Amino acid sequence: MRGTQIADARGEVWFHSVYPAWYMQRTVHVHFKIFIDDKAMLTGQMYFPDALSQYIFANVGAYRRKAERTVFNNNDQFARSDTTRGGFCDIKEEADHYQSTLIVGVSRSVATTLDRAAPPPAQARAIVPGVAPAKQKNS
């Protein structure tokens, strides 16, 4: 699933999505990019608790697979390198969904790796299947 959202005046972005699945050689994660200006960006990954992932994969039919998951947070090459655990989200269980939170601080004074990808259009809107545009928090 892919989408683009513009942060609000406080620099916050909210979106609805499905729980991410896993693929061979990686733990459960979501990629994100934060555009700092028209050339610089921060690229990162958000990781999910292994226990919750295992529960969902074992108990939610859409996530069941014949293949066995062998990569977890402790042996994923990228998650393991996150020694501060700053990319690991907090999870809150709600009545009918889970809410994950990740706080990312961005400093304009720290050098960043430039990515050749173009920034999103100025009037970008979220593309979240199944969520009505009026319910998405775009600014």
Side-chain angles (χ1 to χ4, degrees), residues 43-58:
T43 301
Q45 297 180 43
M46 179 169 79
Y47 305 103
F48 294 80
D50 282 327
L52 177 59
S53 296
Q54 288 301 98
Y55 174 81
I56 289 173
F57 300 151

Side-chain angles (χ1 to χ4, degrees), residues 61-128:
Y63 288 92
R64 287 195 190 113
R65 299 167 122 183
K66 291 182 182 180
E68 184 177 331
R69 182 174 172 228
T70 60
V71 179
F72 300 88
N73 293 334
N74 67 350
N75 65 341
D76 178 90
Q77 63 178 332
F78 298 104
R80 192 176 61 233
S81 69
D82 185 355
T83 57
T84 66
R85 304 209 36 99
F88 288 78
C89 66
D90 291 323
I91 297 282
K92 180 180 178 187
E93 185 174 3
E94 300 286 350
D96 61 349
H97 66 279
Y98 293 98
Q99 178 179 317
S100 61
T101 303
L102 181 69
I103 298 172
V104 179
V106 178
S107 172
R108 292 179 184 269
S109 64
V110 175
T112 61
T113 302
L114 296 179
D115 188 317
R116 301 285 182 228
Q123 296 301 316
R125 292 289 184 227
I127 305 168
V128 183

